[in-house]
Amino acid sequence: MRKHIANLKSEDDEAEINLTPMLDVVFIMLIFFIVTATFIRETGLEVNRPDDNEAQVVQEDGAILVIIDSTDDIWIDNRIVDARAVRPNIERMHAEDPDRPVVIQVAKASSADTLVTIMDAARQASVFNISIASAPE
Amino acid sequence: MRESVIEQLQQDEEVEINLTPMLDVVFIMLIFFIVTAVFVKDPGVQITRPTAVTAFIPEKGSIFIAVTAQNEIWVDKRSVGPEGVRAAIERLHTENPEGGVVIQADGEAANEFVINVMDAAKAAGIDDVTIAAAIP
C-alpha cells in the first residue's frame, strides 16, 4: 500500500507540466509591453487642407478670407490686422453669417506661428470649418 | 507509518499555490498591452510649438512629422527633404493604418514646408492631419 501511494505520487509529478519558464517569459513580455506602451499626449489643432479646386470654390462662395503675407502680416478685408484683432474680426463676420467658413491663404515664407494663431482665433470665435489654401503664384 | 505518508502528501498539496487564475490575469494583461502597443516613431528633434488656447488631444495621431525652424523636415529621427516626406508617411501609414498625421511645426518654420507635409499626407490618403500646438 505504501508503495502504491509512492507510485501515485511520482506519476502525479510526471503529469504536471512545469510552468515556471513560461511564466518567466510571459512576465518579461508583459513588462516589455508595459514599458514600451507610450500613451502619447500631443495636443494640436485639426487641419483641413482642401484640393486646390475646392479652395477656389470656397473662396468664391464668400468665405471669411484671412491672408497671411510673406512678412507675416495678417490681412482681413483688405486691411492689415493685428494678431490680437483677428478673433474679434472673425467673430464679427461670423455673426453676420454663421455659415461662412474661414479660409486662410498662406504665403510660402510666412511662419507656422502666425498660421496657428489664426486657426486658434477662428476656433475661439467658434468657427470650426477652417481651410488652408496656399497663396496663388 | 501509513498515516504519516498520507499526512505528508496532504501537506504537500496544501503548500502548492494554484497559479491558474494569476496566469489568466497575466495573459489578459499581456494581450491588452500587445494590442494597444503603438510604436511611435518620434521625429527626434527639438521644436518650439506655437501656442493655441483651443488645442485638444487628437484621437489617433501617431505619425509624427517635425518641421524645424531651419525648415528641415524630420521623420523617425532622420531628416528627409520635402520630396521624401510622402514616401516616409506612406511607410509609416502601412505600419499603422489607423494613425493620423501630427505635424510638429516650429513656430519659426515657413508655411511652405508645413503645407508641403499636409499635401504629402493627403497624397498618402490620410485625412486626419493636425498641427501640434501647446496649450499656454
Side-chain angles (χ1 to χ4, degrees):
Chain A
M1 194 59 176
R2 201 175 141 195
K3 255 197 180 174
H4 183 62
I5 289 171
N7 234 2
L8 249 181
K9 206 188 163 191
S10 73
E11 256 178 43
D12 268 3
D13 275 349
E14 269 171 48
E16 242 178 53
I17 306 165
N18 188 7
L19 289 174
T20 322
M22 194 198 65
L23 256 184
D24 290 353
V25 171
V26 165
F27 264 117
I28 284 173
M29 278 168 73
L30 184 66
I31 290 164
F32 170 77
F33 279 106
I34 290 176
V35 169
T36 57
T38 38
F39 299 100
I40 336 132
R41 287 279 174 266
E42 172 77 287
T43 53
L45 298 175
E46 207 180 333
V47 170
N48 179 16
R49 169 90 175 124
D51 296 331
D52 286 345
N53 311 343
E54 244 177 83
Q56 291 298 323
V57 172
V58 169
Q59 282 175 41
E60 280 164 22
D61 276 0
I64 302 171
L65 182 64
V66 183
I67 299 171
I68 311 173
D69 69 13
S70 45
T71 50
D72 275 334
D73 286 327
I74 302 161
W75 293 74
I76 300 176
D77 269 352
N78 296 320
R79 280 182 300 113
I80 292 186
V81 210
D82 188 81
R84 282 160 297 178
V86 174
R87 181 185 163 186
N89 268 292
I90 294 177
E91 261 172 0
R92 180 174 51 76
M93 292 164 91
H94 177 64
E96 285 168 11
D97 183 355
D99 291 334
R100 294 172 84 184
V102 165
V103 173
I104 307 172
Q105 202 182 78
V106 185
K108 282 186 171 175
S110 58
S111 73
D113 222 351
T114 321
L115 176 62
V116 170
T117 307
I118 293 174
M119 286 172 70
D120 192 30
R123 290 170 59 86
Q124 283 183 58
S126 56
V127 184
F128 296 99
N129 188 351
I130 307 164
S131 303
I132 295 172
S134 36
E137 298 294 320
Chain B
M1 192 59 171
R2 199 174 137 193
E3 266 193 5
S4 85
V5 170
I6 290 171
E7 232 167 56
Q8 218 180 333
L9 253 176
Q10 276 173 344
Q11 262 182 3
D12 271 3
E13 269 170 35
E14 270 171 48
V15 167
E16 242 177 54
I17 306 163
N18 186 7
L19 290 173
T20 321
M22 192 198 66
L23 257 183
D24 289 353
V25 171
V26 166
F27 263 116
I28 285 174
M29 279 168 72
L30 184 65
I31 290 165
F32 169 78
F33 279 106
I34 288 176
V35 168
T36 58
V38 180
F39 296 99
V40 177
K41 302 266 167 61
D42 197 65
V45 279
Q46 194 68 42
I47 58 148
T48 321
R49 288 163 186 73
T51 55
V53 184
T54 57
F56 61 98
I57 298 165
E59 290 277 308
K60 42 180 185 179
S62 59
I63 300 173
F64 287 84
I65 319 271
V67 185
T68 66
Q70 288 76 40
N71 293 326
E72 291 164 344
I73 299 170
W74 285 73
V75 186
D76 194 10
K77 298 184 181 65
R78 277 183 304 115
S79 171
V80 296
E83 301 82 21
V85 186
R86 189 181 161 183
I89 290 178
E90 272 172 357
R91 185 170 54 79
L92 292 179
H93 183 56
T94 46
E95 279 176 24
N96 187 6
E98 292 287 303
V101 170
V102 177
I103 305 171
Q104 297 176 317
D106 194 285
E108 304 285 310
N111 280 326
E112 181 186 355
F113 297 92
V114 178
I115 288 180
N116 185 298
V117 176
M118 286 178 202
D119 287 345
K122 213 177 145 65
I126 303 168
D127 291 326
D128 202 346
V129 181
T130 48
I131 292 189
I135 300 168

